[in-house]
Amino acid sequence: MDPLNQLVDMLRPRALVWKRVTGRGDWAWRFPATEGVVFGRLVSGRCRFDLPGAGERSLEAGDYLLLTRPSTWLLRGGNEAAEIVDFEKVFAEMSPERSDESDPELVRMLAGHFQFDSTNIEMLTAFLSPVLHLRASESSTRLNGVFALIDAEALDAPPGQEAVLSRLLEIVLIELMRSPELLLEQQHGMLAGLMDPQIAPALHAFHADIGQGWSVSSMAAEAHMSRSAFSERFNVLVGQPPMMYVLHWRMAVARDALRSGRQSIGDIALATGYGSASAFSTAFTRTVGRSPARFAREAG
């Protein structure tokens, strides 16, 4: 299976909210930390966002933004000295009426918020960069088209709106995650590795058969690289050594299987590359901090 498909399947995204947001003049909004993903497109105007550790960046009309498990962050418009206000308070008072888009001071954003299954929530930060910023000049026609559909759907309240918006937002999430421009911007992660012509073949081979007895040497062979050169490049792009990546992914697959309760521990051990249930249990307990049996009980 394609690595990105596997990642999305195990994360099980749920679109919780979608909002049409407008600002005018001088304003500064504080957004709470979240365990999910926040994304948005600036439809008109310009503003700035500030995430601790990532610095302040400017957003222009047509830009896309994706924040993975962000801490408390700010969105600003106009004067830097504007009083900071919690966004939920602002949004509760925001007029739902259609705004005059010809207003030169109007800042209009369409935004969504995803939550994910808690079983493998740490995979978000392990495989995705915390900030992805796609500029308008880099955005795809397809992504713009999906956002136009969301914008039109969100303006009114037609029958089935929630179901339609949820599916459109999931498409946006996947389109953003696989956007070439965003992938190139990533500092590290699975998706950055998939964009590299040398590392990608090794990742695809591993994900196609994670139960195989993988080693640095066998992965390097898939990349047609020396062991040392492969390890160094993999670490830089993906953000962790090859065998650490292999271990983390196998444990993620194991957690997902244990959560579903449809496979025995022995079957999961073989599927994730361990020769016996005892070897798998030892590795799982050491990595996750709980035995497979205990994890399955608590997840159930």
Side-chain angles (χ1 to χ4, degrees), residues 7-33:
L7 178 61
V8 173
D9 284 348
M10 284 197 289
L11 288 173
R12 296 187 180 87
R14 292 184 295 115
L16 290 188
V17 295
W18 47 90
K19 297 178 179 179
R20 302 182 75 251
V21 180
T22 56
R24 182 181 288 101
D26 301 330
W27 49 271
W29 301 333
R30 181 191 297 112
F31 291 80

Side-chain angles (χ1 to χ4, degrees), residues 216 220 225-236 240-242:
V216 175
M225 300 174 68
S226 70
R227 188 178 184 277
S228 59
F230 172 77
S231 293
E232 181 178 356
R233 189 169 185 82
F234 192 99
N235 202 7
V236 168
Q240 54 187 308

Side-chain angles (χ1 to χ4, degrees), residues 45-253:
R46 61 177 59 185
C47 61
R48 306 174 304 280
F49 82 92
D50 188 356
L51 177 69
E56 186 174 275
R57 301 194 192 187
S58 296
L59 294 175
E60 304 287 339
D63 285 7
Y64 291 91
L65 180 66
L66 184 77
L67 304 179
T68 302
R69 300 183 78 182
S71 57
T72 302
W73 59 287
L74 301 177
L75 196 65
R76 300 175 182 271
N79 196 308
E80 190 75 25
E83 179 186 1
I84 298 174
V85 183
D86 287 338
F87 174 73
E88 291 304 323
K89 178 180 179 181
V90 174
F91 187 72
E93 301 171 355
M94 197 172 288
S95 172
E97 298 177 0
R98 303 177 189 224
S99 303
D100 180 7
E101 296 177 21
S102 65
D103 185 343
E105 293 189 5
L106 176 70
V107 176
R108 188 163 68 97
M109 176 174 279
L110 188 64
H113 175 204
F114 283 93
Q115 287 286 23
F116 298 84
D117 187 277
S118 62
T119 305
N120 283 309
I121 190 67
E122 75 282 353
M123 292 173 67
L124 280 174
T125 49
F127 297 105
L128 295 177
S129 293
V131 178
L132 297 177
H133 178 197
L134 178 62
R135 300 194 180 278
S137 59
E138 303 165 335
S139 60
S140 68
T141 302
R142 181 161 54 185
L143 189 56
N144 292 338
V146 176
F147 258 87
L149 288 173
I150 294 175
D151 203 15
E153 188 74 17
L155 277 171
D156 302 302
Q161 182 192 57
E162 182 176 349
V164 171
L165 285 174
S166 292
R167 285 157 179 78
L168 288 173
L169 289 172
E170 286 191 18
I171 293 172
V172 167
L173 176 66
I174 295 173
E175 283 292 326
L176 283 171
M177 289 171 66
R178 69 183 184 181
S179 166
E181 292 79 13
L182 286 183
L183 295 176
L184 290 171
E185 183 183 327
Q186 287 201 113
Q187 297 175 355
H188 59 77
M190 172 215 278
L191 302 182
L194 289 172
M195 283 297 295
D196 184 79
Q198 292 178 292
I199 299 302
L203 285 173
H204 281 290
F206 165 68
H207 282 272
D209 185 8
I210 69 169
Q212 182 178 317
W214 290 101
S215 65
V216 175
S217 295
S218 60
M219 293 183 75
E222 295 287 344
H224 301 289
M225 300 174 68
S226 70
R227 188 178 184 277
S228 59
F230 172 77
S231 293
E232 181 178 356
R233 189 169 185 82
F234 192 99
N235 202 7
V236 168
L237 287 172
V238 182
Q240 54 187 308
M243 297 315 294
M244 184 66 70
Y245 179 93
V246 167
L247 173 65
H248 285 169
W249 189 265
R250 283 172 168 171
M251 292 299 105
V253 171

Side-chain angles (χ1 to χ4, degrees), residues 26-45:
D26 301 330
W27 49 271
W29 301 333
R30 181 191 297 112
F31 291 80
T34 177
E35 285 295 292
V37 163
V38 175
F39 75 93
R41 179 175 187 253
L42 193 64
V43 179
S44 64

